[in-house]
Amino acid sequence: MATVTGQAGHTDACYMLLQGREDQEIPNLQTLKRNLERGTDEIKAEALQQVIAGTQQGENYESVLMHVIRFVMPTRNKRLKKLLLLYWEVCPKYAADGSLKQETILICNALRNDLQHPNEYIRGGTLRFLSRLREAELLEPLIGPTRECLGHRHAYVRKNAVAAVAAIYAAQPQLIPDAPELVQEFLATEADMTCRRNAVAMLTRSAPEAAVQWLRENAAAVSGFEELLQLAAVDVIRRTSHDFAAEKSLFVRITFELLGASSGAVQYEAAATLVGLSGNAAAVKAAAGSYVALATAASDNNVRLMVLDRLDRLRARHEGIIDDVAMDLLRVLAAPDVGVRRKALAIVMRLTTHRNVSDVVAMLKKELARAVVDSGDDTAPEYRQLLIQTIHTCAAQFPEVASSVVELFLDSITDLGAASATDAMGFVREVAEKFPALRADIVGRLLAAFSRLRAGRVLRAALWIVGEYAESPDEVRDAWTRLREAIGELPLLAAEQREADAAAATSADSAGSQAQSASTSRRVLPDGTYATESSLTARPPDAAAALLLDSKPPLRAVLLHSDFFTGAVLAGTLAKLVLRFAASTPPPPPEQLNSLRAEAVLIMAGIIRIGQSPFVATPIDEDSYDRVLACIRALEHMHEDASLLVDAFIADTQGAFERLVVGQDKRVADEARRHTADNAVRVDDAIEFRLLAAKGPASADADDSLEHDAELAAGEPDARAAVSKLDSVVQLTGFSDAVYAEAYVNVNQYDILIDIMIVNQTAATLRNLSIEFSTLGDLRLVEKPSSYSVAPYSFSSVKAGIKVSSTETGVIFGTIVYDGPSVGDSHSIVLNEIHVDIMEYIRPAHCDSAQFHAMWTEFEWENKVNMSTTKEAAENLDLRAYLRHIMKATNMACLTPDNALAGDCGFLSANLYARSIFGEDALANISIEKPTDDSPITGHIRIRAKTQGIALSLGDKISAAKVSLAD
């Protein structure tokens, strides 16, 4: 409903919104009057439509009212009668002094005639219009015909008559003071379910005691009502349960019965109402079971998400009571949508306890096995990765199932995709660090599956685990044997050269046979003569080479694919195994140690030579070359610096990973502690007693009430309670302008509500004053504010709604246009710009490193902002303080662990992440340095996003933060 409030004190209400077409031409006033006066019914209907649309868009068509009354109102055309009802709703009914126009009496006579029309649909449409009428002068003559319509033979008329009586009683109760008794008598004799539903709804709001009496009399028959009447019964319970506490047992019994209704909407509302009636464990479990059944049976994914969200709120409010529904909730995983599955798994994780963790993990194992088999779906890889992450989180919270989860991951590691297998290996690595007793089993199972691993990321993780946790001499020997099988024949380059020579000889022998098998054909030339055409088709060598490459051992194949990062990890693993074998107790025989040492150096040298040979598409990079060479030198001087090398290759790497795991656990614990602190009840907090609460229609359970939902839709009152509205007031015109205007900008998620106060600072009446808006960016004006007149030195208020569709900085322009006291005296005032800040839509968020790198690779829009501060600004500012300044300015969260940022260093690199309310991801990488204490901070920030707007807007925010720091 759009409202405009003026100095006269009344409010023009309109329940209709029309989207005007930009290409539609608005005819002039004389053309409209001529069409309304002399046109056919079709022409009149088209003209009346244009009048309605123009009035909604702020055009002044007051002089058309009498033409509509004289030439259109007497019609019998059904379409024109429908349009007339819409026109009576939008047409101006008040004069300049705030009194009702005299012409409206004629409208009243026409409505009275339609209420007595023999056609029931005309009667019903007119009654529906009366539900939206608020003027007592117009309603008073229509009360009699409206009451008569309650006894009409047609149900369509009766249901609209009940709705009209309810609306009139709510707006002007003095016109029909006996409305509750009238509707109660009507309800006692009515048989139509829709009419009864409207009557119950009216009694619920106007006469709650009558509604409760009706519910008491029909308690046994509620389960047999139709859906609409059952919803009305639930509404009666929700709105009256606070005032009629003595009927609580009746309400609870009826609500329990409605949980088994055939309609999903009834079950949903009954479950929400039941929780508001009672906090008993049986009631909460029954409501949770109803939610789970709805989420499982619903076919619409939006309905599933809504039900799951309500179930999550119920779980948070009644901690530990509905844990038993975790297994039932896993049935929702049969839904095809990944978003529904993700939401269900998140709730299952919160419902998992030590009592049901074994069953939950077993069910997730079966689901993972099914997801591996059903790999034809496009969302199957994402779903498998989601299951692995969920199982990972479950095992991290409950160590008793860690061993079985590790066994599952290692047994199915070869059947998973690269991304899912990488997540699984990350979990295995974390378990090996946290549970030393499982390390031997983990290493053994991993080595057994090593020859079947093909992805470079998975091989790197497996090599790291083997190098870190193969500790005993027997484990080192077994690992060495498996690694030699995965590498293949040595030396690497010589073996590849022999295979290449053999392949070249084979291709030379087959060249002649290919030439002899050339195909020939005869063609006719343009001059009519014949010619012979020969063609030779040779098999492409690339396909055969690729097939041969895939048949090689896994480590050898990744090296020939130019993955020398894996080669560097292999060199580090070999160095660790040799050093650990040398440090074992008792000391190994020297010949065995020297054999391992020589073989390791041979493999490392082969990695470098393969990287410098023509067998790879890309030569070895400098970092990998230096890493492999460092491992060779370490083994060369291992007897000279044994303790130093053991510390560098083994102790330091284990300590670094241990600190990483501890940092992750600490972050999770801090978030849980912060969540507990936010929801904790302090000792001095007030205790609310439901029996002593203020009387009102709201339910005792505020989160489930309609009023609470309406408040959330209108804004965020709790979050903005301590913030003054003055901080959001924007001055639009100057104090010396004829019209002073200022606006309060309220940003509420997808909508922007602009509340503008207009002050007439002149001694003349400003006629046809209107505000015209235009937007820049992904902003769209929902409706054009209406035009009106402002008396001298008085004020008016007007609201405008703007829809936001994406996260980027937008600008709203505007102009005030008004007519002076003289004819043709038109004026305009340009308003100041209103800037919509991107920070209103950005929220800090967290994701793991794999998701961050995947999005970083996927997103194509990048904005690089160079950073440089003055010496004075950086004098008392270190790199971590500068990082916090950027995080505060961009409202982004830091994904880099605190232990990685700790220590004294002149360089800092961190990853930042945020997510908008529209689901858009924003990534940033900050790389800054400060070589000395008195030097400035320099570096750059790279921003990546899926859309250009958010990347540019964040870049502007960072540039503004850089300027503010300099100031």
Side-chain angles (χ1 to χ4, degrees):
M1 181 179 69
T3 60
V4 178
T5 305
Q7 74 277 10
H10 66 272
T11 300
D12 294 332
C14 175
Y15 297 82
M16 177 177 56
L17 293 177
L18 297 177
Q19 177 64 40
R21 299 199 324 238
E22 296 181 356
D23 57 344
Q24 184 179 9
E25 296 183 1
I26 299 177
N28 57 48
L29 198 58
Q30 297 300 326
T31 303
L32 288 175
K33 290 181 178 180
R34 184 174 60 254
N35 292 339
L36 292 173
E37 181 178 353
R38 303 175 185 175
T40 62
D41 287 345
E42 289 75 13
I43 295 176
K44 289 181 180 179
E46 185 67 25
L48 193 55
Q49 280 184 338
Q50 293 174 347
V51 170
I52 294 172
T55 304
Q56 282 289 87
Q57 296 174 17
E59 299 295 332
N60 185 6
Y61 289 145
E62 291 188 20
S63 59
V64 179
L65 178 60
M66 280 307 300
H67 279 72
V68 174
I69 294 175
R70 291 174 56 194
F71 303 110
V72 181
M73 196 169 63
T75 184
R76 295 186 178 183
N77 186 279
K78 302 294 189 300
R79 182 188 177 192
L80 278 176
K81 282 189 173 292
K82 292 180 180 179
L83 290 175
L84 274 174
L85 294 177
L86 297 179
Y87 177 71
W88 301 144
E89 184 178 339
V90 303
C91 72
K93 306 178 186 66
Y94 291 92
D97 57 355
S99 61
L100 205 63
K101 291 183 177 180
Q102 296 296 326
E103 296 89 337
T104 55
I105 302 300
L106 301 176
I107 300 177
C108 184
N109 292 334
L111 294 176
R112 184 182 180 88
N113 294 332
D114 287 341
L115 288 176
Q116 298 172 345
H117 200 280
N119 189 310
E120 59 269 14
Y121 295 104
I122 293 180
R123 282 198 185 195
T126 308
L127 288 168
R128 292 180 62 183
F129 169 71
L130 293 187
S131 301
R132 302 189 292 270
L133 204 58
R134 295 293 179 266
E135 291 77 14
E137 296 88 341
L138 294 178
L139 289 172
E140 186 174 5
L142 305 176
I143 298 299
T146 303
R147 296 171 67 109
E148 294 175 0
C149 288
L150 289 173
H152 195 272
R153 58 180 178 81
H154 204 285
Y156 179 75
V157 177
R158 296 198 303 272
K159 75 173 184 179
N160 286 293
V162 174
V165 169
I168 294 172
Y169 184 76
Q172 305 290 343
Q174 73 279 4
L175 297 181
I176 183 169
D178 60 337
E181 293 80 6
L182 183 65
V183 173
Q184 193 171 6
E185 294 176 1
F186 170 82
L187 182 61
T189 58
E190 180 59 48
D192 184 77
M193 286 294 178
T194 306
C195 298
R196 298 177 69 185
R197 179 258 181 193
N198 288 357
V200 172
M202 185 269 177
L203 293 178
T204 303
R205 290 167 174 78
S206 305
E209 63 283 352
V212 173
Q213 180 182 351
W214 170 85
L215 189 63
R216 190 186 305 112
E217 295 172 353
N218 296 271
V222 169
S223 58
F225 288 164
E226 294 183 2
E227 177 184 354
L228 289 177
L229 197 54
Q230 287 180 341
L231 289 174
V234 173
D235 190 51
V236 171
I237 295 174
R238 180 171 55 244
R239 293 178 179 274
T240 61
S241 59
H242 191 272
D243 296 331
F244 296 87
E247 304 291 342
K248 180 179 178 180
S249 59
L250 173 66
F251 292 161
V252 171
R253 179 167 59 85
I254 294 175
T255 310
F256 259 109
E257 292 179 0
L258 291 179
L259 288 179
S262 58
S263 170
V266 176
Q267 295 180 34
Y268 180 81
E269 295 295 338
T273 305
L274 180 60
V275 177
L277 286 172
S278 174
N280 184 272
V284 174
K285 289 181 179 179
S290 180
Y291 285 144
V292 173
L294 284 173
T296 306
S299 59
D300 191 343
N301 292 327
N302 294 323
V303 174
R304 287 194 177 107
L305 290 173
M306 181 178 64
V307 173
L308 290 175
D309 184 65
R310 182 61 67 91
L311 178 63
D312 194 23
R313 289 162 55 186
L314 182 65
R315 174 209 57 81
R317 195 178 308 113
H318 301 278
E319 201 71 43
I321 296 181
I322 62 173
D323 295 341
D324 295 337
V325 304
M327 295 300 298
D328 296 331
L329 186 58
L330 288 174
R331 292 181 298 170
V332 182
L333 297 180
D337 185 68
V338 178
V340 175
R341 292 170 170 175
R342 181 179 290 106
K343 184 71 174 178
L345 287 174
I347 299 175
V348 168
M349 282 305 306
R350 300 186 184 102
L351 294 175
T352 304
T353 62
H354 290 280
R355 292 183 293 117
N356 60 2
V357 60
S358 299
D359 297 333
V360 171
V361 171
M363 189 66 183
L364 291 177
K365 287 181 181 179
K366 294 180 182 178
E367 190 66 20
L368 180 60
R370 187 182 66 83
V372 171
V373 175
D374 300 339
S375 58
D377 190 6
D378 295 338
T379 61
E382 183 181 0
Y383 181 45
R384 287 198 300 267
Q385 190 172 1
L386 179 61
L387 285 173
I388 289 175
Q389 292 173 355
T390 304
I391 298 174
H392 177 185
T393 307
C394 189
Q397 293 180 1
F398 305 98
E400 60 267 24
V401 298
S403 59
S404 62
V405 172
V406 169
E407 180 181 350
L408 167 68
F409 283 171
L410 293 180
D411 290 343
S412 59
I413 193 72
T414 56
D415 299 326
L416 302 175
S420 302
T422 303
D423 290 341
M425 295 301 296
F427 167 71
V428 172
R429 180 173 56 185
E430 184 178 340
V431 171
E433 175 61 33
K434 290 183 177 180
F435 305 100
L438 300 177
R439 291 177 181 175
D441 183 56
I442 290 174
V443 172
R445 289 180 176 275
L446 193 57
L447 290 174
F450 204 91
S451 60
R452 301 193 300 272
L453 303 179
R454 289 291 172 180
R457 289 185 294 173
V458 182
L459 284 170
R460 289 195 293 269
L463 286 171
W464 190 91
I465 294 174
V466 171
E468 288 295 329
Y469 302 115
E471 299 174 346
S472 66
D474 293 337
E475 291 177 349
V476 171
R477 293 190 188 97
D478 189 18
W480 200 272
T481 302
R482 298 290 185 177
L483 291 180
R484 280 286 289 106
E485 294 175 357
I487 293 173
E489 185 181 355
L490 295 177
L492 292 174
L493 183 60
E496 289 300 320
Q497 187 63 50
R498 286 195 299 271
E499 292 183 9
D501 294 341
T506 304
S507 62
D509 293 339
S510 61
S513 61
Q514 288 182 0
Q516 293 176 358
S517 61
S519 60
T520 60
S521 61
R522 299 184 66 185
R523 296 188 61 183
V524 180
L525 298 179
D527 57 357
T529 60
Y530 292 92
T532 302
E533 182 182 54
S534 301
S535 62
L536 177 63
T537 304
R539 184 178 61 181
D542 295 341
L547 183 62
L548 182 63
L549 196 61
D550 291 338
S551 63
K552 293 180 181 295
L555 288 176
R556 196 185 197 94
V558 297
L559 291 176
L560 293 175
H561 275 299
S562 303
D563 187 1
F564 296 107
F565 183 28
T566 304
V569 176
L570 172 61
T573 300
L574 295 175
K576 292 177 184 178
L577 292 176
V578 173
L579 292 173
R580 186 173 277 114
F581 188 73
S584 60
T585 305
E591 58 275 9
Q592 293 185 11
L593 178 61
N594 291 334
S595 175
L596 291 182
R597 181 181 173 191
E599 198 168 16
V601 172
L602 180 62
I603 295 173
M604 296 177 192
I607 294 173
I608 293 178
R609 296 192 65 189
I610 282 288
Q612 297 174 342
S613 69
F615 293 104
V616 293
T618 305
I620 186 171
D621 57 283
E622 186 177 352
D623 292 338
S624 300
Y625 178 85
D626 293 341
R627 178 65 176 169
V628 175
L629 195 60
C631 293
I632 294 176
R633 291 175 178 172
L635 295 183
E636 180 184 359
H637 302 284
M638 62 177 292
H639 294 300
E640 303 172 8
D641 304 316
S643 60
L644 183 62
L645 290 174
V646 169
D647 291 340
F649 277 85
I650 299 176
D652 290 349
T653 55
Q654 285 187 349
F657 184 65
E658 181 181 0
R659 289 192 297 272
L660 179 63
V661 173
V662 171
Q664 291 177 349
D665 294 342
K666 182 177 181 297
R667 175 183 293 182
V668 173
D670 291 343
E671 291 180 357
R673 195 160 41 247
R674 191 181 307 112
H675 180 268
T676 303
D678 293 339
N679 297 297
V681 179
R682 295 181 298 180
V683 177
D684 56 345
D685 285 349
I687 302 177
E688 295 184 1
F689 294 93
R690 293 173 58 184
L691 294 177
L692 303 180
K695 302 293 184 181
S699 169
D701 188 359
D703 285 342
D704 288 326
S705 66
L706 296 177
E707 288 76 10
H708 180 75
D709 293 341
E711 289 178 1
L712 291 180
E716 300 179 3
D718 295 336
R720 296 180 176 270
V723 181
S724 173
K725 287 187 176 182
L726 295 177
D727 296 336
S728 301
V729 172
V730 179
Q731 183 177 345
L732 301 180
T733 62
F735 292 107
S736 60
D737 289 324
V739 178
Y740 174 76
E742 64 181 19
Y744 165 63
V745 183
N746 181 18
V747 179
N748 178 30
Q749 294 191 354
Y750 306 103
D751 300 310
I752 300 176
L753 179 63
I754 304 178
D755 189 356
I756 307 171
M757 184 185 70
I758 305 293
V759 180
N760 182 4
Q761 302 189 110
T762 66
T765 300
L766 303 182
R767 298 179 298 104
N768 300 330
L769 188 145
S770 63
I771 304 178
E772 299 178 356
F773 286 109
S774 60
T775 58
L776 178 64
D778 286 340
L779 306 176
R780 181 174 60 85
L781 185 66
V782 176
E783 55 179 323
K784 180 180 178 181
S786 302
S787 60
Y788 46 92
S789 300
V790 184
Y793 303 110
S794 64
F795 69 93
S796 294
S797 177
V798 62
K799 293 181 176 64
I802 293 178
K803 183 69 67 176
V804 185
S805 58
S806 70
T807 307
E808 66 176 72
T809 300
V811 183
I812 303 173
F813 306 93
T815 305
I816 295 179
V817 181
Y818 61 93
D819 295 336
S822 304
V823 178
D825 186 10
S826 181
H827 303 274
S828 64
I829 301 175
V830 179
L831 305 179
N832 290 334
E833 301 172 355
I834 301 176
H835 293 268
V836 181
D837 195 354
I838 187 178
M839 292 299 103
E840 297 283 354
Y841 311 108
I842 292 292
R843 301 289 184 269
H846 292 277
C847 66
D848 55 34
S849 59
Q851 293 174 337
F852 183 89
H853 292 302
M855 289 187 291
W856 187 270
T857 305
E858 176 187 357
F859 293 167
E860 58 182 1
W861 290 104
E862 178 173 322
N863 186 13
K864 184 177 181 180
V865 181
N866 294 321
M867 309 300 296
S868 179
T869 64
T870 60
K871 291 184 178 181
E872 294 77 10
E875 183 176 354
N876 298 321
L877 190 68
D878 61 359
L879 296 178
R880 285 183 290 275
Y882 190 80
L883 173 63
R884 289 191 294 270
H885 175 71
I886 295 298
M887 291 170 55
K888 182 179 179 181
T890 57
N891 207 14
M892 302 182 78
C894 181
L895 302 182
T896 305
D898 294 336
N899 55 359
L901 300 175
D904 296 330
C905 181
F907 178 79
L908 184 145
S909 179
N911 293 329
L912 308 180
Y913 177 64
R915 190 176 179 85
S916 72
I917 62 175
F918 305 99
E920 299 170 320
D921 300 296
L923 314 177
N925 174 264
I926 178 172
S927 300
I928 51 178
E929 63 177 350
K930 186 180 181 183
T932 59
D933 293 338
D934 57 349
S935 60
I937 297 177
T938 58
H940 63 269
I941 297 179
R942 297 169 61 193
I943 306 166
R944 285 200 179 184
K946 185 174 291 186
T947 58
Q948 182 184 20
I950 189 171
L952 296 177
S953 300
L954 278 178
D956 296 339
K957 272 293 174 184
I958 292 174
S959 301
K962 180 175 61 175
V963 173
S964 66
L965 185 64
D967 295 339

